[in-house]
Amino acid sequence: MRRTIPPVAVLATAVAWMVTGCSRPAPPPAAPKAAAEGHDHDHDHGHGGEEHDHPGTLAEGVAQLKKAAADVKTHLAAGKADAADDVVHGVGHLIEDIQGLLPKEKLSDEGRAAAPKALDEGFACFDELDTALHAPAGKGDSPADVHAGVAKRIEDAIKTLESAR
């Protein structure tokens, strides 16, 4: 019998990996669901002094995600991989914030089912970008090529989140 890992555990591990700048191993996730439910978003996360605006509503979170996606596209088109990488790492925090907002939102039944899947899909896309951004020179696809392959998936995930209400 195959054992599956809950998506929340996978997301928590991946967020931890992305936040550390891919240089240290991610700590094992400790009760991700309980942590998300009791997580106070009005504080500094202590990730090397990085700060980000915590959305107060799903609409604010989706707007921030949309801006982040546009910023990554702009940075990659300009050949600014480091700037794109900074945005990609921030997306991990943002997706975590949006996940925490979902239970507080009045979503349609379809939206309640689709929004977590859209967040998982968006996270997977940004994770692919992160992997490309951190690949050794000459190894794997370029970040611009990876972005070209995931841009539509990111756009679709954002549209799903926008229509979840």
Side-chain angles (χ1 to χ4, degrees), residues 2-3 8 10 24 26 30 32 62 64 66-67 79 85 88 97 105 107 111-113 119 130-131 135-136 142 148 163:
R2 185 175 167 197
R3 181 177 171 220
V8 173
V10 173
R24 295 177 285 177
V62 172
Q64 289 179 21
K66 197 181 242 185
K67 181 178 181 337
D85 187 46
V88 168
D97 288 345
E105 293 285 329
L107 303 178
R112 193 161 303 285
L119 288 172
D130 187 63
T131 299
S142 73
S163 67

Side-chain angles (χ1 to χ4, degrees), residues 118 121 150-162:
E121 176 68 3
V150 300
K152 176 77 167 110
R153 291 170 46 204
I154 292 170
E155 182 181 310
D156 290 346
I158 291 171
K159 285 180 182 178
T160 297
L161 290 168
E162 287 175 323

Side-chain angles (χ1 to χ4, degrees), residues 63-161:
Q64 289 179 21
L65 187 58
K66 197 181 242 185
K67 181 178 181 337
D71 289 349
V72 167
K73 180 179 181 178
T74 300
H75 292 316
L76 289 175
K80 297 179 180 177
D82 287 342
D85 187 46
D86 289 343
V87 176
V88 168
H89 282 237
V91 168
H93 288 293
L94 180 56
I95 288 176
E96 180 184 50
D97 288 345
I98 295 170
Q99 283 181 317
L101 292 170
L102 291 179
K104 300 171 188 172
E105 293 285 329
K106 293 180 181 173
L107 303 178
S108 67
D109 290 341
E110 296 84 17
R112 193 161 303 285
K117 291 176 185 174
L119 288 172
D120 288 345
E121 176 68 3
F123 186 85
C125 292
F126 282 101
D127 186 49
E128 287 180 42
L129 281 169
D130 187 63
T131 299
L133 286 161
H134 290 276
K139 301 284 183 180
D141 294 330
S142 73
D145 288 344
V146 171
H147 182 265
V150 300
K152 176 77 167 110
R153 291 170 46 204
I154 292 170
E155 182 181 310
D156 290 346
I158 291 171
K159 285 180 182 178
T160 297
L161 290 168

